[in-house]
Amino acid sequence: ALEREALTAGQRESLDLISTRGRELVALIETILDAARVEAGQLSLVKKRTSVAGLVYLATQRARELVGGAGELRIEMAEGMPAVTVDANHVSRAIAVVVAHALRSASGRGVAVRASVAAGGKQVRVEIDHGEAQTDPTELRALFTQQQTSRAKGLTLGLSLARSIVEMHGGSIEVTGATGESTVVSTLLPV
């Protein structure tokens, strides 16, 4: 309702900040609940054939919501992408967390999301290229392998959960790059 009212620039900025923080809080609560379900072995997945384009679109839309639309995001989709059998809700959220982290790390620079076929057609690769961001790949690898989720904070918990969700689908997450180079996070999912 407030969004329809005539607001000053300061009021609009405050409303946008409240809205962004609200979305972040909901995402954090969902992450905490899912992490607890994963740790207890009680996370139920509803796997269905899903187009990779639809999965990437949903993930990037969710990532933009998490960061309030900040940052340039390019999507590159290879032709002839096969469908994957996944829980689209959980996998898109996992990829969204990785994309949101890249957008925050990029500080206004571009982030690319590329989808292609890998492993001779047996896997789909979704790469999140941090571009010129000053992301330390060693530090990022550590965030993905965080095991003690009871002590983890929001982003660490989200990245660790993303890895767990992808692994529950028979996939993996890889971080490549070196300090001073572009860091790329690849999500691999079986076809």
Side-chain angles (χ1 to χ4, degrees):
L2 281 176
E3 294 170 342
R4 288 184 236 129
E5 299 292 323
L7 302 173
T8 66
Q11 290 171 325
R12 172 75 50 206
E13 185 177 324
S14 294
L15 184 60
D16 289 345
L17 181 62
I18 290 167
S19 180
T20 298
R21 295 298 182 243
R23 286 189 302 271
E24 289 173 352
L25 183 58
V26 168
L28 180 60
I29 291 168
E30 288 174 342
T31 299
I32 290 169
L33 292 172
D34 281 349
R37 289 181 190 112
V38 167
E39 282 184 2
Q42 297 177 347
L43 183 67
S44 298
L45 299 176
V46 179
K47 296 180 181 181
K48 295 180 182 175
R49 298 285 290 160
T50 306
S51 78
V52 174
L55 194 63
V56 169
Y57 173 76
L58 184 56
T60 55
Q61 182 181 18
R62 286 178 163 180
R64 285 204 174 282
E65 289 172 3
L66 284 172
V67 297
E72 179 188 335
L73 183 60
R74 293 180 324 280
I75 300 172
E76 301 167 17
M77 190 73 53
E79 290 187 29
M81 294 294 295
V84 290
T85 302
V86 297
D87 182 317
N89 185 43
H90 283 96
V91 172
S92 65
R93 257 196 319 208
I95 295 172
V97 168
V98 179
V99 173
H101 178 267
L103 286 168
R104 283 191 181 136
S105 300
S107 302
R109 298 182 194 104
V111 170
V113 177
R114 294 185 290 266
S116 61
V117 178
K122 295 180 181 177
Q123 290 182 325
V124 167
R125 176 186 302 270
V126 178
E127 294 180 338
I128 295 92
D129 187 337
H130 286 63
E132 300 174 13
Q134 298 300 314
T135 304
D136 181 353
T138 304
E139 197 174 300
L140 191 53
R141 280 184 204 100
L143 290 176
F144 276 108
T145 58
Q146 175 72 31
Q147 295 298 318
Q148 297 177 337
T149 55
S150 61
R151 289 191 284 147
K153 301 274 189 247
L155 182 57
T156 303
L157 181 60
L159 292 175
S160 177
L161 178 61
R163 178 190 49 82
S164 295
I165 295 293
V166 169
E167 288 175 353
M168 289 174 73
H169 285 83
S172 62
I173 291 184
E174 302 171 352
V175 179
T176 56
T179 304
E181 296 178 3
S182 180
T183 299
V184 177
V185 177
S186 298
T187 301
L188 296 160
L189 294 167
V191 172

